[in-house]
């Protein structure tokens, strides 16, 4: 009758084309295993190694390089464990517990010529049993879902929430507007502002002309001597006196072109 493991898919975890097998002496005590005690220069067998997984169990298979015939295999149900052990004096050698179909087991030594192959073999087993650990945790959570604390995201009694959808708050920044559309210039370093050019021409204090000044202008026209200067403060004259000089002109005949 076929067992349950025979119907599971087999996935390949690692393949190494060259591996050496050594016959190791039996353990005499609990001291660590040393590869230096083996006959490293004369391996008992050489071939190919494949690490496969069926379900949660990994299998280390030693096969012939050409024909692919199975030489020995070691089922690994945990790592690190008794099925695969490292040695104390090298990272390229391991102790493997192999089993046959009848359940008989024996310990052999395996070694890699390249340190990178030994690293890949070690990492392949670690990754597989890391996945097995996660699967066990998931199955426990599925069997007892009520044991895990639940996160309550519901609203409490009287609790409300406000949503602002499509409303964005923008800060209104008012810019100072200058007359004429021109920006204001910064003040000079001295701190005093010079008046604009238009103000200089418009800010002259013009005093209205008084009667004395008008009289002086008319007296200049009345005098025949150009060197005469009107007095600074002439007496105020009435309207009849102001135009009285023009009634008796003093210019000689022919000065104004009239004969």
């Amino acid at each position: 009758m076929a067992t349950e493991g025979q119907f599971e898919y087999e996935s390949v975890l690692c393949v190494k084309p060259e591996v050496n097998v050594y016959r190791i002496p039996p353990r005499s005590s609990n001291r660590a295993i040393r590869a230096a005690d083996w006959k490293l220069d004369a391996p008992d067998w050489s071939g190919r190694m494949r690490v496969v997984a069926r379900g949660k169990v990994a299998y280390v298979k030693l096969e012939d390089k050409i024909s692919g015939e199975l030489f020995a295999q070691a089922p690994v149900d945990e790592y690190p464990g008794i099925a695969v052990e490292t040695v104390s004096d090298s990272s390229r050698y391991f102790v493997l517990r192999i089993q046959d179909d009848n359940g008989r087991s024996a310990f052999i030594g395996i070694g890699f010529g390249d340190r990178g192959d030994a690293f890949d073999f070690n990492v392949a087993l670690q990754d597989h049993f890391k996945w097995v650990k996660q699967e066990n945790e998931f199955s426990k959570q599925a069997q007892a879902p009520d044991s895990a604390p639940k996160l309550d995201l519901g609203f409490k009694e009287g609790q409300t929430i406000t949503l602002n959808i499509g409303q964005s708050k923008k800060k209104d920044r008012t810019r100072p507007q200058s007359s004429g559309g021109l920006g204001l210039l910064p003040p000079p370093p001295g701190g005093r502002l010079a008046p604009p050019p238009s103000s200089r021409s418009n800010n002259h204090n013009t005093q209205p002309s008084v009667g004395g000044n008008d009289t002086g202008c008319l007296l200049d026209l009345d005098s025949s001597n150009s060197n005469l200067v009107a007095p600074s403060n002439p007496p105020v004259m009435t309207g009849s006196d102001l135009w009285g000089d023009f009634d008796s002109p003093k210019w000689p005949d022919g000065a104004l072109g009239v004969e």
Side-chain angles (χ1 to χ4, degrees), residues 194-246:
S198 59
S199 63
R200 295 182 180 178
S201 59
N202 295 330
N203 290 337
H204 290 293
N205 296 325
T206 58
Q207 297 179 357
S209 58
V210 295
N213 290 337
D214 294 339
T215 306
C217 294
L218 295 176
L219 291 175
D220 290 340
L221 296 177
D222 188 41
S223 63
S224 61
N225 191 358
S226 60
N227 294 327
L228 294 178
V229 179
S232 58
N233 294 320
V236 180
M237 302 176 63
T238 60
S240 59
D241 295 335
L242 178 64
W243 297 100
D245 294 341
F246 286 94

Side-chain angles (χ1 to χ4, degrees), residues 80-94:
I82 194 173
V84 180
E85 300 179 71
T86 59
V87 298
S88 60
D89 57 346
S90 178
S91 61
R92 296 187 293 114
Y93 298 93
F94 301 85

Side-chain angles (χ1 to χ4, degrees), residues 21 25 54 64 113 121 132 165 170 218 221:
V21 176
R54 288 199 298 266
D64 186 77
F121 170 68
V132 171
I165 301 176
K170 296 183 179 180
L218 295 176
L221 296 177

Side-chain angles (χ1 to χ4, degrees), residues 21-27 33 38 81-85 94-99 104-110:
V21 176
Y22 304 93
R23 187 177 297 174
I24 62 176
R27 296 183 180 181
I33 302 174
W38 308 346
I82 194 173
V84 180
E85 300 179 71
F94 301 85
V95 175
L96 209 63
R97 186 186 67 179
I98 59 175
Q99 288 183 354
R104 294 179 299 180
S105 62
F107 291 92
I108 61 173
I110 62 172

Side-chain angles (χ1 to χ4, degrees), residues 36 52 113 130 167 210 212 233:
V52 299
K130 187 183 297 183
Q167 297 180 0
V210 295
N233 294 320

Side-chain angles (χ1 to χ4, degrees), residues 48 63-69:
R48 179 183 67 185
E63 301 172 344
D64 186 77
K65 294 180 181 179
I66 302 174
S67 63
E69 183 181 359

Side-chain angles (χ1 to χ4, degrees), residues 79 121-131:
Y79 183 77
F121 170 68
N122 189 17
V123 170
L125 292 176
Q126 288 179 354
D127 291 345
H128 171 72
F129 286 101
K130 187 183 297 183
W131 170 80

